[in-house]
Amino acid sequence: MIFCVEDDSGIRNLMLYTLNASGFEAKGFPDSQEFWEAVKEEEPEMVLLDVMLPGEDGITILKKLRSDAATAHIPVIMASAKGTEFDKVTGLDLGADDYLAKPFGMMEMVSRIKSVLRRTAPKETPVIKMGIIELNTGKHTVSVDGKAVALTLKEYDLLCLMMKNRGLVFTREQLLNKIWGQSFIGETRTVDVHIGTLRTKLGKAGGYVETVRGVGYKMEETP
């Protein structure tokens, strides 16, 4: 998911159209208030951030993103009018990953996005461990205390997602979208059933999957 923070609705809509047509998921925001509200609900894969915004400007938003451990790793591409070298230098010095000078072409934007995503992609280790659970993404296997555990594909995907995001709370709707896909027609009860069978199969490690009352589920290593 790419978040586009741009106050000009015409430019913002064109960016969103181009990104969706290029195979990306994207959401647009006219100002910092709507942007920060969205970040609380979903972590973007990248942020396209205009410097000149009403209220809180792009430089201030970038500072906040980089100063918070929860968002410091998110790639950011800044955008500003040509000739504003100060904005460009300031943005890059504060940790922006790239810079686009307005007016920029949509294909240039897509090319820069792909380049930054390749450069900033985390080097994933095949084995993820949490307490007595070991998940091997290369072999697609799971073990608890050294003993193999047979999971269905959806159970494995749920476990993998939550182990990669330990401590992060997922709502039932988020889990449905991420694991079953947005086209899935069904109820959030589906998530509860799969969480229940996953806990059972994990045995003494089933308690790692915690219910957050009124919200959803998360994974934490328990003593």
Side-chain angles (χ1 to χ4, degrees), residues 59 62 91:
I59 296 297
L62 178 63

Side-chain angles (χ1 to χ4, degrees), residues 132-133 142-145 147-151 159 195-209 219 222:
I132 58 174
I133 303 176
V142 175
S143 64
V144 173
D145 217 7
K147 297 180 179 179
V149 177
L151 300 178
L159 179 64
I195 289 290
T197 57
L198 175 60
R199 281 173 169 157
T200 300
K201 291 181 178 181
L202 291 177
K204 55 186 176 182
Y208 292 9
V209 183
M219 276 197 77
T222 55

